[in-house]
Amino acid sequence: MRADLEMVKALLDGSRRVVVLTGAGISAESGVPTFRGRDGLWRNHRPEDLARPDAFEAHPDLVWEFYNWRRRLVAGCEPNPAHRALAELERVLPNFLLITQNVDGLHVRAGSRKLVQMHGSLWQVKCTVCTHAREDFGELPALPECPVCGHLLRPGVVWFGEPLVPGVLRIAIDRVSKADVFLAVGTSGLVQPAASFHQLAKDHGAVTVEVNLEPTPVSGFMDFALHGPAGEILPELIAGIADTASARSTGGGGR
Ligand code: APR
């Protein structure tokens, strides 16, 4: 794996357009449970019971209990070295986009700004009736109400069966298809549309790289598959780039 890691490092350093896709695995080392892995969230909670619009209509109290529990859990977690490495990569590469399926907000807290949160955010709430929407990091009541119209608020996340926020998919597809390096980190590669991004990138000529604790259904389709904890692999990958970039900016190196 060492040789592959060095090759990916060199690729990143020489690349012009890098797109990184992240999933729940990148937050695992922060203490946020993944969905499908060992101790995954969906082991104790059936997603079809909790993350669907019709489930919310039928049992808003149960769904809010689940989201309020996740908000409290994530509020007690910190970004880990993998989140911080991607924030650093954004700083040193000229054309970078981070697309995350995660709703935990840890990329933002780590400093990432060139970021698309495909599935929304745990920290967004929006009215089920009017246009009220806000970011809210506080403790919410069991059934929070809209301050404008009094109707029920809902989490600002994209549930199963719901379309993505308008424009998000267009931006993601545009940038993925223009990438010269595409990196998928900590995602099982099972949930669309993100699960197709590596193929889209490859079809348009990108080199594709997976960083995951273990092989996934898409590992075999990747040009490089780096297996191990993201919190160890990403800082190693990024260290080389950051060093070269700082050497370039001080005139000490170049490509
Ligand atoms: N480092 C790298 N990868 C890890 C680590 C780690 N420390 N820990 C776990 N992983 C990997 C697992 O091997 C698995 O492949 O992260 C992946 C997590 O997969 P999922 O739990 O399926 O999460 P994700 O792919 O993000 O799920 C996609 O599904 O339920 C929906 O909306 C939810 O956004 C989520 C979407």
Side-chain angles (χ1 to χ4, degrees):
M1 181 168 112
R2 170 58 48 187
D4 279 1
L5 198 130
E6 291 303 329
M7 282 175 82
V8 174
K9 225 185 230 191
L11 271 168
L12 279 174
D13 193 27
S15 62
R16 293 169 54 79
R17 296 191 181 90
V18 174
V19 174
V20 180
L21 169 71
T22 62
I26 196 166
S27 296
E29 290 158 74
S30 293
V32 182
T34 61
F35 293 96
R36 296 175 185 78
R38 214 171 347 114
D39 304 324
L41 269 187
W42 297 154
R43 296 246 159 162
N44 302 320
H45 305 270
R46 299 199 318 149
E48 57 273 37
D49 290 344
L50 299 168
R52 287 169 53 130
D54 52 350
F56 186 67
E57 255 174 57
H59 306 288
D61 48 344
L62 181 67
V63 173
W64 261 119
E65 188 184 337
F66 176 58
Y67 279 91
N68 277 333
W69 169 74
R70 287 177 67 190
R71 284 165 61 96
R72 280 193 298 273
L73 187 149
V74 172
C77 296
E78 295 297 327
N80 67 54
H83 297 107
R84 288 196 289 274
L86 292 180
E88 175 67 3
L89 196 58
E90 165 185 319
R91 212 178 55 71
V92 298
L93 290 181
N95 193 322
F96 176 89
L97 183 69
L98 174 55
I99 303 171
T100 189
Q101 300 167 90
N102 299 347
V103 295
D104 56 32
L106 291 178
H107 284 304
V108 177
R109 283 169 59 195
S112 287
R113 294 296 175 264
K114 294 177 181 170
L115 171 69
V116 172
Q117 298 184 106
M118 275 184 83
H119 294 167
S121 166
L122 280 179
W123 310 108
Q124 285 283 336
V125 291
K126 58 185 186 182
C127 184
T128 50
V129 174
C130 78
T131 56
H132 173 76
R134 68 171 191 270
E135 199 165 49
D136 193 324
F137 294 94
E139 186 78 16
L140 295 173
L143 283 172
E145 285 174 4
C146 175
V148 178
C149 72
H151 286 95
L152 188 60
L153 292 177
R154 58 161 282 180
V157 300
V158 179
W159 281 326
F160 287 105
E162 289 187 319
L164 299 182
V165 175
V168 160
L169 188 58
R170 188 177 41 76
I171 292 170
I173 288 177
D174 177 59
R175 296 294 290 274
V176 169
S177 57
K178 289 178 181 151
D180 49 23
V181 177
F182 174 79
L183 208 69
V185 182
T187 178
S188 56
L190 294 172
V191 175
Q192 297 292 354
S196 300
F197 287 174
H198 67 96
Q199 193 56 55
L200 180 67
K202 200 167 196 158
D203 288 348
H204 287 81
V207 176
T208 53
V209 182
E210 175 181 69
V211 176
N212 200 298
L213 204 52
E214 53 196 36
T216 71
V218 301
S219 301
F221 300 97
M222 296 290 195
D223 295 309
F224 296 91
L226 306 175
H227 291 139
E232 291 175 18
I233 294 177
L234 289 187
E236 277 205 57
L237 276 181
I238 269 66
I241 321 288
D243 292 349
T244 325
S246 83
R248 273 199 297 271
S249 68
T250 56
R255 50 180 156 175

PDB file of all heavy atoms in Angstrom, residues 232-246:
ATOM      1  N   GLU A 232      -5.780   8.242   9.430  1.00  0.00           N
ATOM      2  CA  GLU A 232      -4.332   8.015   9.279  1.00  0.00           C
ATOM      3  C   GLU A 232      -3.893   8.232   7.827  1.00  0.00           C
ATOM      4  O   GLU A 232      -2.848   8.823   7.569  1.00  0.00           O
ATOM      5  CB  GLU A 232      -3.982   6.578   9.710  1.00  0.00           C
ATOM      6  CG  GLU A 232      -4.135   6.386  11.203  1.00  0.00           C
ATOM      7  CD  GLU A 232      -3.900   4.939  11.629  1.00  0.00           C
ATOM      8  OE1 GLU A 232      -3.296   4.156  10.864  1.00  0.00           O
ATOM      9  OE2 GLU A 232      -4.356   4.591  12.737  1.00  0.00           O
ATOM     10  N   ILE A 233      -4.710   7.743   6.878  1.00  0.00           N
ATOM     11  CA  ILE A 233      -4.293   7.800   5.465  1.00  0.00           C
ATOM     12  C   ILE A 233      -4.323   9.231   4.916  1.00  0.00           C
ATOM     13  O   ILE A 233      -3.375   9.673   4.263  1.00  0.00           O
ATOM     14  CB  ILE A 233      -5.186   6.876   4.608  1.00  0.00           C
ATOM     15  CG1 ILE A 233      -4.934   5.417   5.013  1.00  0.00           C
ATOM     16  CG2 ILE A 233      -4.906   7.061   3.124  1.00  0.00           C
ATOM     17  CD1 ILE A 233      -5.800   4.409   4.291  1.00  0.00           C
ATOM     18  N   LEU A 234      -5.409   9.969   5.200  1.00  0.00           N
ATOM     19  CA  LEU A 234      -5.514  11.311   4.602  1.00  0.00           C
ATOM     20  C   LEU A 234      -4.401  12.265   5.059  1.00  0.00           C
ATOM     21  O   LEU A 234      -3.798  12.945   4.220  1.00  0.00           O
ATOM     22  CB  LEU A 234      -6.897  11.917   4.846  1.00  0.00           C
ATOM     23  CG  LEU A 234      -8.041  11.273   4.054  1.00  0.00           C
ATOM     24  CD1 LEU A 234      -9.335  12.054   4.236  1.00  0.00           C
ATOM     25  CD2 LEU A 234      -7.719  11.179   2.574  1.00  0.00           C
ATOM     26  N   PRO A 235      -4.085  12.311   6.354  1.00  0.00           N
ATOM     27  CA  PRO A 235      -2.979  13.212   6.727  1.00  0.00           C
ATOM     28  C   PRO A 235      -1.676  12.840   6.028  1.00  0.00           C
ATOM     29  O   PRO A 235      -0.913  13.724   5.636  1.00  0.00           O
ATOM     30  CB  PRO A 235      -2.873  13.019   8.248  1.00  0.00           C
ATOM     31  CG  PRO A 235      -4.232  12.582   8.667  1.00  0.00           C
ATOM     32  CD  PRO A 235      -4.754  11.750   7.529  1.00  0.00           C
ATOM     33  N   GLU A 236      -1.439  11.547   5.814  1.00  0.00           N
ATOM     34  CA  GLU A 236      -0.219  11.129   5.109  1.00  0.00           C
ATOM     35  C   GLU A 236      -0.234  11.602   3.661  1.00  0.00           C
ATOM     36  O   GLU A 236       0.765  12.080   3.140  1.00  0.00           O
ATOM     37  CB  GLU A 236      -0.105   9.601   5.120  1.00  0.00           C
ATOM     38  CG  GLU A 236       0.496   9.053   6.378  1.00  0.00           C
ATOM     39  CD  GLU A 236       1.129   7.689   6.112  1.00  0.00           C
ATOM     40  OE1 GLU A 236       2.010   7.586   5.250  1.00  0.00           O
ATOM     41  OE2 GLU A 236       0.693   6.734   6.781  1.00  0.00           O
ATOM     42  N   LEU A 237      -1.400  11.438   3.020  1.00  0.00           N
ATOM     43  CA  LEU A 237      -1.518  11.865   1.621  1.00  0.00           C
ATOM     44  C   LEU A 237      -1.293  13.357   1.483  1.00  0.00           C
ATOM     45  O   LEU A 237      -0.630  13.828   0.577  1.00  0.00           O
ATOM     46  CB  LEU A 237      -2.940  11.572   1.099  1.00  0.00           C
ATOM     47  CG  LEU A 237      -3.255  10.191   0.572  1.00  0.00           C
ATOM     48  CD1 LEU A 237      -4.703  10.143   0.088  1.00  0.00           C
ATOM     49  CD2 LEU A 237      -2.318   9.855  -0.583  1.00  0.00           C
ATOM     50  N   ILE A 238      -1.890  14.078   2.415  1.00  0.00           N
ATOM     51  CA  ILE A 238      -1.918  15.543   2.310  1.00  0.00           C
ATOM     52  C   ILE A 238      -0.574  16.149   2.708  1.00  0.00           C
ATOM     53  O   ILE A 238      -0.181  17.196   2.183  1.00  0.00           O
ATOM     54  CB  ILE A 238      -3.097  16.083   3.170  1.00  0.00           C
ATOM     55  CG1 ILE A 238      -4.345  16.184   2.329  1.00  0.00           C
ATOM     56  CG2 ILE A 238      -2.811  17.437   3.769  1.00  0.00           C
ATOM     57  CD1 ILE A 238      -4.897  14.913   1.852  1.00  0.00           C
ATOM     58  N   ALA A 239       0.134  15.494   3.600  1.00  0.00           N
ATOM     59  CA  ALA A 239       1.406  16.047   4.086  1.00  0.00           C
ATOM     60  C   ALA A 239       2.326  16.365   2.920  1.00  0.00           C
ATOM     61  O   ALA A 239       2.887  17.451   2.836  1.00  0.00           O
ATOM     62  CB  ALA A 239       2.068  15.066   5.032  1.00  0.00           C
ATOM     63  N   GLY A 240       2.428  15.466   1.973  1.00  0.00           N
ATOM     64  CA  GLY A 240       3.288  15.683   0.821  1.00  0.00           C
ATOM     65  C   GLY A 240       2.884  16.907   0.029  1.00  0.00           C
ATOM     66  O   GLY A 240       3.707  17.733  -0.348  1.00  0.00           O
ATOM     67  N   ILE A 241       1.570  17.037  -0.192  1.00  0.00           N
ATOM     68  CA  ILE A 241       1.062  18.139  -1.017  1.00  0.00           C
ATOM     69  C   ILE A 241       1.311  19.466  -0.316  1.00  0.00           C
ATOM     70  O   ILE A 241       1.774  20.424  -0.911  1.00  0.00           O
ATOM     71  CB  ILE A 241      -0.470  18.033  -1.235  1.00  0.00           C
ATOM     72  CG1 ILE A 241      -0.917  16.620  -1.442  1.00  0.00           C
ATOM     73  CG2 ILE A 241      -0.928  18.972  -2.332  1.00  0.00           C
ATOM     74  CD1 ILE A 241      -0.559  16.031  -2.720  1.00  0.00           C
ATOM     75  N   ALA A 242       0.968  19.482   0.984  1.00  0.00           N
ATOM     76  CA  ALA A 242       1.122  20.735   1.733  1.00  0.00           C
ATOM     77  C   ALA A 242       2.581  21.167   1.728  1.00  0.00           C
ATOM     78  O   ALA A 242       2.894  22.338   1.540  1.00  0.00           O
ATOM     79  CB  ALA A 242       0.609  20.558   3.156  1.00  0.00           C
ATOM     80  N   ASP A 243       3.487  20.193   1.893  1.00  0.00           N
ATOM     81  CA  ASP A 243       4.918  20.529   1.898  1.00  0.00           C
ATOM     82  C   ASP A 243       5.343  21.118   0.557  1.00  0.00           C
ATOM     83  O   ASP A 243       6.014  22.132   0.490  1.00  0.00           O
ATOM     84  CB  ASP A 243       5.765  19.266   2.157  1.00  0.00           C
ATOM     85  CG  ASP A 243       5.566  18.767   3.583  1.00  0.00           C
ATOM     86  OD1 ASP A 243       4.959  19.511   4.372  1.00  0.00           O
ATOM     87  OD2 ASP A 243       5.997  17.643   3.871  1.00  0.00           O
ATOM     88  N   THR A 244       4.897  20.468  -0.536  1.00  0.00           N
ATOM     89  CA  THR A 244       5.300  20.954  -1.861  1.00  0.00           C
ATOM     90  C   THR A 244       4.718  22.337  -2.113  1.00  0.00           C
ATOM     91  O   THR A 244       5.381  23.215  -2.648  1.00  0.00           O
ATOM     92  CB  THR A 244       4.792  20.000  -2.972  1.00  0.00           C
ATOM     93  OG1 THR A 244       4.831  18.683  -2.484  1.00  0.00           O
ATOM     94  CG2 THR A 244       5.601  20.117  -4.222  1.00  0.00           C
ATOM     95  N   ALA A 245       3.431  22.504  -1.700  1.00  0.00           N
ATOM     96  CA  ALA A 245       2.800  23.801  -1.942  1.00  0.00           C
ATOM     97  C   ALA A 245       3.526  24.904  -1.199  1.00  0.00           C
ATOM     98  O   ALA A 245       3.765  25.981  -1.740  1.00  0.00           O
ATOM     99  CB  ALA A 245       1.332  23.751  -1.515  1.00  0.00           C
ATOM    100  N   SER A 246       3.930  24.619   0.058  1.00  0.00           N
ATOM    101  CA  SER A 246       4.602  25.683   0.810  1.00  0.00           C
ATOM    102  C   SER A 246       6.001  25.918   0.233  1.00  0.00           C
ATOM    103  O   SER A 246       6.469  27.040   0.160  1.00  0.00           O
ATOM    104  CB  SER A 246       4.613  25.386   2.300  1.00  0.00           C
ATOM    105  OG  SER A 246       5.659  24.533   2.615  1.00  0.00           O
TER     106      SER A 246
END
